Amino acid sequence: MKFKVVIAEDNRLEKKNIKFVLDTIDECELVAEFSNGGDTLDYLIKNKADILLTDIKMPEMDGITLIRKLYDNDIDIEKLVISGYSDFDQAREIMGYDVSKYVMKPLVDNELEDAVLNAIRKRKAKYEKEDKQEALLRQVDKVRPVLIDNFFRNLILRPYNSKEYLKTHEQLLKIDLFEKNITVATISVLKKKETEDIYEFCALVSEFSEINENGIEYYPIVMSETEIAVVILHLGDSAEIYTKMIEMKNSIIEKYNIDILIGISQSTKNTDIVNILYNQSRSAVQSQKDIQKNVVV
């Protein structure tokens, strides 16, 4: 693997010396060289590179301003500053901007080579870590439906989940848990059908899995052979969800001819009380069980 290097240096002799050192390192590939910070910044905003070797004193934009702008623009690159002793005090201003190394001019011994090799080691470690994370995410994607089911089942059944636990799973499962309102619906099948009709019950679950639309996300969890809990994340209020549930009830009756009750909880942004919302929606269903007809409560 070759690591892409960019040079920002206006002194031709110094630039020649830097290139000579880079030529001795097999893993380096010089991809661009500039004589001022402005052109260097423009290039690095548009192109990915691994290592920047920059002087401090340059026309148009000096090295200190360049380093700061790279930091402010969140451009990921190893920054090596090469400058004279007289510029050292000035260079201390940017040591908090992820500068990997300050190398003194004139270049002596193997100081620059060691600095570049150290930057390469850091880059290798970074890429290896990213590769492992990508491999993990690919594995997560394969079992994502199971992880999502377990996550929302925990929210429903456990009275409290730590913020750290919620944040970690929100990022891992790509769920906007803290950005939206939370409502829980309980769907109860009034008349249990024969065992062979389990396929209709599975189809009922899939109805909610496939209708994420207009900023509303539905996460159905099978709680028993006759009951489904649906965690609903949405931007609007509970009235909007009530309307959606009436539409879903009518669609289910038309497609499957299943008698159902739907109970709907209050809406909240409080992730600590999802189990309370579930109990609200389930109580609404239980209170209407004797009616034995399709309603939304």
Side-chain angles (χ1 to χ4, degrees):
M1 178 181 181
K2 292 281 189 180
F3 293 87
K4 297 179 179 180
V5 181
V6 175
I7 297 174
E9 170 65 77
D10 63 323
N11 185 296
R12 289 185 180 181
L13 180 59
E14 295 293 351
K15 186 182 290 185
K16 183 178 179 181
N17 292 336
I18 294 170
K19 290 166 71 174
F20 176 80
V21 172
L22 293 178
D23 285 341
T24 66
I25 304 174
D26 292 337
E27 292 174 292
C28 284
E29 177 188 3
L30 180 61
V31 294
E33 51 184 281
F34 302 97
S35 59
N36 65 80
D39 291 340
T40 307
L41 178 63
D42 290 342
Y43 177 85
L44 292 175
I45 287 175
K46 298 173 185 176
N47 301 277
K48 182 174 175 57
D50 298 297
I51 301 170
L52 169 67
L53 301 170
T54 181
D55 191 9
I56 286 184
K57 291 182 178 177
M58 292 183 293
E60 296 184 33
M61 181 188 292
D62 62 28
I64 290 178
T65 305
L66 171 61
I67 294 289
R68 284 175 175 160
K69 288 188 176 292
L70 290 174
Y71 184 88
D72 292 341
N73 283 277
D74 199 26
I75 294 174
D76 180 27
I77 191 169
E78 300 297 324
K79 310 173 191 73
L80 304 180
V81 177
I82 306 172
S83 204
Y85 179 80
S86 60
D87 301 320
F88 183 72
D89 287 340
Q90 204 176 358
R92 277 193 290 194
E93 300 176 24
I94 54 172
M95 296 312 285
Y97 289 82
D98 293 336
V99 173
S100 301
K101 182 72 174 177
Y102 186 91
V103 181
M104 294 285 192
K105 292 181 181 179
L107 301 177
V108 294
D109 299 327
N110 297 321
E111 189 176 3
L112 178 58
E113 181 183 0
D114 291 343
V116 173
L117 290 173
N118 185 58
I120 288 174
R121 282 192 290 271
K122 290 174 66 176
R123 218 65 187 163
K124 280 182 179 177
K126 172 184 168 58
Y127 291 148
E128 287 172 1
K129 182 179 179 181
E130 289 176 350
D131 287 344
K132 289 179 181 177
Q133 288 174 338
E134 287 178 8
L136 175 61
L137 289 175
R138 285 194 295 271
Q139 293 298 320
V140 168
D141 284 340
K142 291 180 181 178
V143 295
R144 188 169 180 267
V146 176
L147 294 176
I148 287 177
D149 185 89
N150 287 337
F151 173 68
F152 282 109
R153 192 177 298 276
N154 278 339
L155 287 191
I156 285 174
L157 298 178
R158 286 165 55 177
Y160 177 76
N161 294 278
S162 70
K163 283 288 189 284
E164 183 180 355
Y165 169 83
L166 296 175
K167 279 288 187 185
T168 299
H169 283 75
E170 181 190 43
Q171 294 172 359
L172 186 66
L173 302 176
K174 302 174 184 176
I175 298 169
D176 295 329
L177 187 64
F178 293 95
E179 299 297 323
K180 295 183 177 181
N181 293 316
I182 305 171
T183 303
V184 177
T186 294
I187 294 90
S188 178
V189 179
L190 289 173
K191 295 178 182 178
K192 185 180 178 183
K193 297 198 171 186
E194 298 299 325
T195 307
E196 58 265 23
D197 290 334
I198 188 66
Y199 298 109
E200 286 190 354
F201 188 72
C202 293
L204 184 60
V205 175
S206 70
E207 285 290 319
F208 289 92
S209 301
E210 297 171 359
I211 57 168
N212 292 346
E213 59 184 6
N214 301 324
I216 305 175
E217 300 171 25
Y218 300 84
Y219 297 97
I221 302 100
V222 177
M223 305 303 293
S224 73
E225 291 181 356
T226 60
E227 181 183 297
I228 302 167
V230 184
V231 179
I232 307 166
L233 305 181
H234 56 102
L235 295 172
D237 56 20
S238 54
E240 178 186 20
I241 300 305
Y242 184 78
T243 302
K244 288 288 183 183
M245 287 298 103
I246 292 174
E247 292 174 1
M248 284 300 300
K249 178 206 66 157
N250 294 334
S251 174
I252 289 166
I253 293 171
E254 182 179 347
K255 284 184 179 181
Y256 308 108
N257 192 28
I258 300 175
D259 293 323
I260 58 172
L261 281 172
I262 301 180
I264 304 173
S265 74
Q266 296 175 316
S267 296
T268 181
K269 284 186 178 293
N270 187 353
T271 55
D272 292 341
I273 62 169
V274 175
N275 65 314
I276 295 176
L277 300 183
Y278 167 62
N279 288 328
Q280 284 180 357
S281 66
R282 198 161 187 268
S283 295
V285 166
Q286 294 296 326
S287 69
Q288 301 295 319
K289 273 290 179 73
D290 294 336
I291 293 177
Q292 293 290 305
K293 65 179 181 180
N294 298 294
V295 294
V296 178
V297 188

